[in-house]
Amino acid sequence: IDVNDYNSNSNSNSNSSQPSSQINEPAISEISQSVNTTLVSFNRRDSCRNIVYSQPDSSGTKRIRGGTPIKLVEKLTEPTFTDSEFIRAFLLTYRSFLTPVELLENLLQRYDRPPPITSTSSKTINPTQLRVISVLHKWIELHFYDFVEDTRISNRLLTFIEKASQDANPEIPKTWNIVKETI
């Protein structure tokens, strides 16, 4: 990996005068280590220790090249991050650093602990929760065999859907039904 690929907007705020070629960057193997899903901590600030971006293209867009499993799941479910290529690439490659069970647990934890929203309406669905549902739907749609080959995954998801469908927000059950019908 080119060390310059670690330079992102989150690093530009650094007060370090050290040239980027001298920064002690982690190896991709360190970045992609599996995580203990019982201690997942989302919403940490982006840094060269948890996310790797490409150089901006001519339009100024940076693409994700790698990151810790937790940061990748966070970006995958971030409401403002809508890179469909990233979603497809992630779902094709996640098995190299997470098991399907670990991915499901991370997504469900992300759903259970979304960042707060400012709306006080009980009918407002948290955008992060919607993104989790969307990613789960896309995962089932494109890689259904993960749910067929390991019934623990489909059973765990169905159990979670039943629990989440009891949410006070009347829109939640309707949204989960789309995922449930896909399984």
Side-chain angles (χ1 to χ4, degrees):
I1 289 183
D2 183 352
V3 173
N4 293 324
D5 286 337
Y6 286 94
N7 297 333
S8 69
N9 288 338
S10 63
N11 289 339
S12 63
N13 297 334
S14 171
N15 293 331
S16 173
S17 60
Q18 189 178 24
S20 63
S21 62
Q22 295 177 358
I23 294 174
N24 184 16
E25 301 294 349
I28 280 295
S29 61
E30 291 174 358
I31 288 176
S32 298
Q33 289 175 354
S34 187
V35 295
N36 178 348
T37 57
T38 60
L39 301 174
V40 173
S41 181
F42 293 107
N43 304 316
R44 290 186 183 223
R45 190 173 177 183
D46 288 1
S47 78
C48 64
R49 302 294 288 163
N50 63 19
I51 191 84
V52 179
Y53 292 98
S54 67
Q55 289 295 321
D57 61 18
S58 59
S59 68
T61 303
K62 296 183 288 184
R63 301 230 182 253
I64 293 175
R65 292 194 56 196
T68 62
I70 296 306
K71 183 54 84 169
L72 294 175
V73 169
E74 180 182 315
K75 290 295 183 186
L76 189 69
T77 58
E78 204 171 82
T80 58
F81 188 79
T82 57
D83 184 350
S84 61
E85 288 180 37
F86 173 69
I87 294 169
R88 292 174 93 71
F90 180 90
L91 291 172
L92 282 171
T93 61
Y94 81 88
R95 290 166 202 81
S96 65
F97 53 90
L98 287 172
T99 66
V101 171
E102 289 172 323
L103 175 57
L104 179 63
E105 288 303 321
N106 286 331
L107 287 170
L108 298 183
Q109 284 187 37
R110 180 73 165 153
Y111 182 89
D112 277 342
R113 296 183 302 144
I117 57 174
T118 56
S119 174
T120 57
S121 168
S122 65
K123 292 191 175 207
T124 302
I125 301 176
N126 187 297
T128 300
Q129 290 177 320
L130 279 176
R131 287 288 294 169
V132 170
I133 294 168
S134 176
V135 168
L136 284 165
H137 185 257
K138 185 63 76 179
W139 182 16
I140 295 165
E141 183 180 80
L142 297 176
H143 304 281
F144 63 90
Y145 46 84
D146 285 343
F147 297 85
V148 173
E149 291 174 354
D150 189 346
T151 56
R152 292 177 304 162
I153 298 170
S154 54
N155 289 339
R156 172 70 175 107
L157 182 55
L158 288 171
T159 301
F160 186 84
I161 289 171
E162 290 303 317
K163 183 185 119 212
S165 294
Q166 296 170 6
D167 191 303
N169 184 327
E171 297 301 313
I172 294 287
K174 295 176 197 172
T175 310
W176 275 115
N177 280 339
I178 295 168
V179 174
K180 196 173 177 180
E181 289 170 5
T182 310
I183 297 176

